[in-house]
Amino acid sequence: MSILTKDIVAQIFTRPFRIRPILHQMVVVGLNTLPIASIMAIFTGMVLAVQTYYQFRQFDLETYIGTVVGLSMTRELGPVLTAIIVAGRIGSSTAAEIGSMKVTEQIDALRTFGVNPVRYLATPRFIALVTMLPFLTIYTDFIGILGAYSISIIKFHIRSSLYIDKTIHFLDPPDVLSGLIKAIFFGAIIAIVSCHKGLTSGEGAQGVGRATTNSVVLSSILILIIDYFLTIILP
Amino acid sequence: MGNHKKSYTELKVGIFTLFGLLILIFIIISIGDFHIYQKGYTINILFNKIEGLEIASPIRLSGMEVGEVKEIIVDTNKIRVVAWVRSDAPIRADSQITINSLGIIGEKYIDITRGSPSARLLKNEDTIVGIDPVSVGSLLFKTEEVILSLERATGRIEEILQGSVNKLDINKIVKTTSSILNNTNTIITENRQNIKKTFTNLDNSFINLNNSLNALANAAKTTSNTIRHIEKNIDNLFKDNAGNIKTACAKFKDTSVLLMKKILSISTNLEKVINSIDQNLAKTINNIDQNLAKVTNNMDQNLAKVTNNIDQLIDKNKGNLNTTLKNYEKSSLQLIEISNSLKSVISEIEKGKGLLGKISKDDKVAANLEEIIYNLNELSKDIKNHPWKLLRK
């Protein structure tokens, strides 16, 4: 896997650039994932708001929902949940696509034509995931906070200005930025794991299925583990 | 077609990333404490301890957030907190600056009071000394003490309430006291200047009073000195003329004794004179009495003759009686008048007990009396002028 990583990173800086597959992958990763990510985000935000409300009401701290939602969305839930969704949606499809290409010996065909399969298949996905996942995270952060805000105002009758003030007051730019840095790492994990599983998939449809499953499971677990270490490292 | 599709993809990616960046910028700006759109100034606040105050801790003016802590610098003996404050937030030279905890989370913030309107406004880079916060430990210790004393106080209040004092009364007292305090407060704040002036005036007056008292004391000193001087002079005068005064006094004594003796002899002679005057007066009065009796007798006899004559006339002129009677009536009326006047004369004479009565009815007596009085007058003059005649005899 580390060899693959080295290959992918090396291929990024190899001329000539092939923009079109990258853009294609960007659309797939970013725009096409946005709806499902938004639904995930808005409901996560709302659930978070409701849970926090029932817990904080005991201490008369309802107005701090904004603080809790804002911090948890930007620092943890936004990047991690988005990454897991992307891992499920893009990672699986990548692994399946590359795996089936491997099974049907298309990779070998590419090699025969003198095309570097890593350069042709893996690098565009890597670039697309690394760049688009932070943007997706920005969207999910914002939408999640918006969902929590709306539920707090409509359902719990917390004053809008107070909620916004509490959100803004306790949120600092480092919180948001650390979430985005995490997202970059998660994008890289998804790309490398899914490409690796695809390229190393076993024989037949079974092998492709296993590769897909393994890709999702491994990238999800790696995301959570790396998230822990990143949380420690980042401010 | 392929080219068209490609540009379409680029557009999608472009819009996606652009929106993402816009949201990011929006979030960062709104949560970040950027003061790009706000003008403000920084002040330095000095503390001995800051009880965990951090950079970016809020600064509140009368509870309103107006800025934040920018920097915390450890100076040689104080901790200097550099605070950024909005330009429309007035912090005055006598504003009280404390470090407080916010809510249950315990976030520290700097609390600033408004200060008095007369105090100077702080400018950029001004330095002000803050009031050091009380540590939680000592606060708890003090709280315990306070609670204990409160317990004692409430026990006493309960005793009082159970006793004679009415609850309502206490309520009233508390209310009135608070209103009085409020009033006093407003009066004091309203008249702060006046009170200050009054005190300075009082001060000046005291100084003036002191000066006047000093002047008075000096004057009193000089006066006492002069009095002492005068006393000395008088003393000396007495000492010098003591002999003369003594002799004068002795002489005065002698003359007064002589005078007394003379006065005594004069009074005895006067008594004798008065006695002789009394005797003469008695004799004169007797004479007057006798003369009066003779006069009345004569008058009686004349009246009898008149009546006789009338009788004869009546007998002779019986015919003319009627006319005569009428005449008689007239004359009798006149007679009555005469007798009345006589009566009054007699009564006056009778009444005339003293000298004056007698004098008024008899010219001779009056003349005599006048003579006597004249003589007496002469005599008294003589005695007055020549008292030695009496002594000589």
Side-chain angles (χ1 to χ4, degrees), chain A residues 20 23-24 26-27 30-31 34 61 64 132 135-136 138-139 142 168-173 176-177 180, chain B residues 6 9-10 12-13 15-17 19-21 23-24 26-28 30-33 58 65 104-105 107:
Chain A
R20 210 183 145 198
L23 285 176
H24 176 72
M26 275 181 168
V27 171
L31 267 177
L34 189 58
L61 289 172
Y64 284 90
M132 282 300 109
F135 281 100
L136 266 178
I138 293 168
Y139 281 105
F142 188 69
I168 288 170
H169 192 272
F170 288 96
L171 258 187
D172 286 326
V176 180
L177 292 178
L180 300 187
Chain B
K6 183 190 167 190
T9 323
E10 278 176 340
K12 275 183 185 173
V13 175
I15 290 165
F16 181 79
T17 46
F19 261 103
L21 281 173
I23 291 170
L24 182 67
F26 169 74
I27 290 173
I28 298 282
S30 58
I31 65 174
D33 298 297
E65 202 170 313
I104 199 161
I105 293 173
E107 191 196 4

